[in-house]
Amino acid sequence: MKERLIRFMQGRYGVDQLSKFLLILGLVIVLVSAFLGNNPIALILYLIGWVLVIYCYFRVFSRNVSKRYSENQTFLAKTYGIRNFFQKQKNIWQQRKVYHIYTCPSCKQKIRIPKGKGKIEVRCPKCGTTFIKKS
C-alpha cells in the first residue's frame, strides 16, 4: 500500500508550508462554524472552510510543480515578518534559564548577558552606552 501511494505521488507537488496553513485554517474555520449554530454566518464560514481544505488538497496533488512552488515562495515572503517574530520569541524563551536579555536604554539594542555574574557594567556593542545591571 505504501508503495502504491509513493507511485501515485510521483510527479506531484506534495505538502508545503502553504498547504499546511490552508489545511489548518480551513479546519479551524469549519470548527468555529460548528460552534456558531444554525445561522447564515455559520453556513458561509463552513463553506469557506471546506473551500480552503479542498484547495489545500488540490495543491498537494497538483502536477504543476513550478506554479505551486512559486505560490509557496510568495506565501513565505509575505509571512516572513510574523514567522521571524515568533522564532525570535521562541529563541528568547529557550535561553531564559541561562541568559538575561536586556535592552540598551539609548538605542534599544537587545543585549544577552549570562546569569549569575552579580552586578555588572554592560556596554552596548551598537552605541557604546554603558549601564549597570544585575545578572
Side-chain angles (χ1 to χ4, degrees), residues 5-129:
L5 180 63
I6 290 171
R7 221 177 311 127
F8 174 74
M9 288 301 291
Q10 281 182 341
R12 299 184 190 273
Y13 186 64
V15 180
D16 61 0
Q17 290 87 352
L18 178 57
S19 296
K20 289 177 188 176
F21 175 76
L22 289 172
L23 181 63
I24 291 170
L25 182 64
L27 293 176
V28 166
I29 290 175
V30 167
L31 188 64
V32 166
S33 73
F35 287 118
L36 291 178
N38 229 358
N39 59 18
I41 295 173
L43 178 64
I44 292 170
L45 285 177
Y46 182 78
L47 291 174
I48 290 172
W50 279 110
V51 166
L52 289 174
V53 170
I54 290 168
Y55 183 63
C56 165
Y57 279 104
F58 165 76
R59 285 182 42 77
V60 168
F61 296 130
S62 174
R63 290 186 183 262
N64 192 350
V65 175
S66 60
K67 182 150 176 122
R68 301 292 90 80
Y69 177 78
S70 173
E71 290 171 354
N72 188 48
Q73 291 303 313
T74 304
F75 170 75
L76 291 176
K78 290 186 186 220
T79 60
Y80 174 75
I82 296 168
R83 290 181 298 110
N84 193 28
F85 171 77
F86 284 110
Q87 185 63 36
K88 284 181 183 178
Q89 295 305 315
K90 180 181 172 187
N91 192 17
I92 288 171
W93 185 257
Q94 288 173 342
Q95 295 179 5
R96 76 187 191 292
K97 291 183 180 177
V98 181
Y99 296 100
H100 279 291
I101 301 196
Y102 295 116
T103 304
C104 175
S106 61
C107 70
K108 309 299 183 212
Q109 171 73 33
K110 288 188 178 181
I111 304 164
R112 188 177 72 168
I113 305 298
K115 285 187 174 183
K117 302 293 181 186
K119 210 173 213 184
I120 58 172
E121 183 179 30
V122 179
R123 182 182 169 275
C124 176
K126 187 175 179 183
C127 67
T129 304

